[in-house]
Amino acid sequence: MADTISAISTAHGVSSLSVIRVSGDKSYSIAKKISKLNNIIPRHATLNSLYDSSDELIDQAIIIYFVSPKSFTGEDIVEFQCHGGLIVAQMVLDRTVELGARLATAGEFSKRAFINGKIDLTKAEATAKLIEAKSVSAGKILARQMRGELKIFVDKTRDSLLKSLAYSEVMIDYAEEDIPDDILESLTNQLNNLDIKLNNIVQTSLRRRGLIDGFKVAIIGKPNVGKSSLLNSLLSYDRAIVSDIAGTTRDTIEEQIRIDSHIIRLIDTAGIRKAQDKIEKIGIERSISSIDEADIIISIFDGSREFDNEDEKILSLLENTEDKHIIVVINKSDLDNILDINSLKKYNPLFISTKKDVNIVTDKLTNLLNSIGDIDDIMLISTRQIEAVTVARDSIIKAKEPLQNGELEFFSYHLNDSLVAISSISKPYNSEEILDKMFGEFCLGK
Ligand SMILES: Nc1nc2c(ncn2[C@@H]2O[C@H](COP(=O)(O)OP(=O)(O)OP(=O)(O)O)[C@@H](O)[C@H]2O)c(=O)[nH]1
Ligand SMILES: [Mg+2]
């Protein structure tokens, strides 16, 4: 029998309401004792006082009782909606512990929901990510996953693998005979289709990771082009020091900012050039790392200066990036433009002045983020899911060769690996360790 757990499910801090959630066999008796009620009607909002161990009033709260199995965890659950702030919720939590509950660990409610068959892992993960989602598009994708979109995909892939495996097992029993051509062709086609499908889903998901975690947008360029000025204008306050001395920004500066319905991480970097100074060199190494880590790069050039070797270096960095969205900005449009933009033309540069029209950059970012977010396909939302599909695909690729050579035992072996990997997305085989790792990353009270 699982013990009874309790946690504050809402964010800690000053707020008008807080919710304390208790799950397990003792929930109902704890609720009756803390409220001094003899009976609480299930699924009704009951307004009542809550008392501490000395019978002193803690708060007036709404109490809602969900009877097992019709609850989030599948166990008896009681929720107390009390006043927010730092003190009241803690007092209610402490009282539930005095009355027999223990403090829940992170993700323990969701873990119980999974163990009791209320949700599968794809839904559990989608719920957890929804709490942290950084864009409305992400919210929509996660809502689809909560409704079972990914689970259906996993089940279909598994069915297809099982069918191939079944063919193979039958054929193994007739080992002396060659595999008939039509069956060989049909199995090969099936594997090729799965290979392409799984690869697509992994690639699409990797490119769109920022939808869930927040896109990283790095502002790069040689010194003095106006990177920090752009950061400040986008943030609408003077976050970074701006000066006409080249090399003003020494270290990367990261700030969160909302662009349309997306919360992104905007990073100002040190101007990239051949530096002598030790500290500046470290800053420039960080600028280069920011390029690697960014999903979107805003590369700035100074329109009021000739195109020089330092600009050339930036251009070569841009050309060596793979799978990144690049926005090229030519700054200082309030001055005469003498920059030769021939080599930048293919990037459709935006001409702006950070002093007056950064909305051009905001609009471009909005369009880009919306187009990345406009996705009807299935998306994998965690490293765990991406790794599982990658292993499933690798095993399919490994299965192709033994199939052609008629080595059906090896073929079955690899297909089985693929099956285990794909199934682990919704229900892992060796559960306990994976579950602890996964649910441990959830919020407390979830
Ligand atoms: N005329 C004009 N000057 C600008 C514009 N944007 C920035 N500047 C000036 O350009 C100089 C450099 O600006 P910063 O924003 O510090 O440039 P940076 O790219 O961050 O430079 P580092 O940190 O040294 O790499 C400052 O004197 C700014 O006032 C603009 O649109 N027009
Ligand atoms: Mg700067």
Side-chain angles (χ1 to χ4, degrees), residues 224 226-229 240-243 247-250 268-271:
N224 230 4
K227 299 180 294 299
S228 303
S229 304
I241 300 171
V242 165
S243 90
T248 299
T249 307
R250 291 298 194 91
D268 179 24
T269 62

Side-chain angles (χ1 to χ4, degrees), residues 159-225:
D159 280 355
S160 173
L161 286 167
L162 271 174
K163 254 185 219 154
S164 303
L165 203 56
Y167 263 133
S168 170
E169 296 299 317
V170 171
M171 292 308 300
I172 289 171
D173 294 341
Y174 300 97
E176 308 84 65
E177 294 168 28
D178 282 345
I179 307 171
D181 282 349
D182 56 336
I183 293 188
L184 182 65
E185 196 185 323
S186 141
L187 283 176
T188 311
N189 285 342
Q190 217 163 351
L191 291 195
N192 285 341
N193 287 341
L194 273 180
D195 174 7
I196 294 168
K197 220 189 228 170
L198 297 187
N199 188 36
N200 278 346
I201 188 174
V202 168
Q203 296 311 324
T204 322
S205 307
L206 284 175
R207 274 199 300 276
R208 291 178 155 89
R209 260 180 154 175
L211 283 172
I212 312 285
D213 302 327
F215 283 108
K216 269 194 165 187
V217 181
I219 306 174
I220 65 148
K222 69 177 185 183
N224 230 4
V225 291

Side-chain angles (χ1 to χ4, degrees), residues 138-150:
K140 288 181 184 164
I141 291 165
L142 293 168
R144 293 205 312 256
Q145 190 161 130
M146 281 165 70
R147 283 205 305 271
E149 184 186 67
L150 183 61

Side-chain angles (χ1 to χ4, degrees), residues 106-107 125 128-129 132 382 435-443:
E125 262 177 324
K129 293 279 179 187
E132 294 169 13
S382 66
L435 292 184
D436 282 344
K437 187 169 172 291
M438 200 193 97
F439 286 109
E441 288 169 12
F442 280 36
C443 289

Side-chain angles (χ1 to χ4, degrees), residues 234 259 327 350 358-370:
L234 289 170
I259 301 281
I327 299 174
L350 307 174
V358 284
N359 60 313
I360 298 176
V361 178
T362 318
D363 290 349
K364 178 78 186 175
L365 270 175
T366 304
N367 288 339
L368 183 57
L369 291 166
N370 285 342

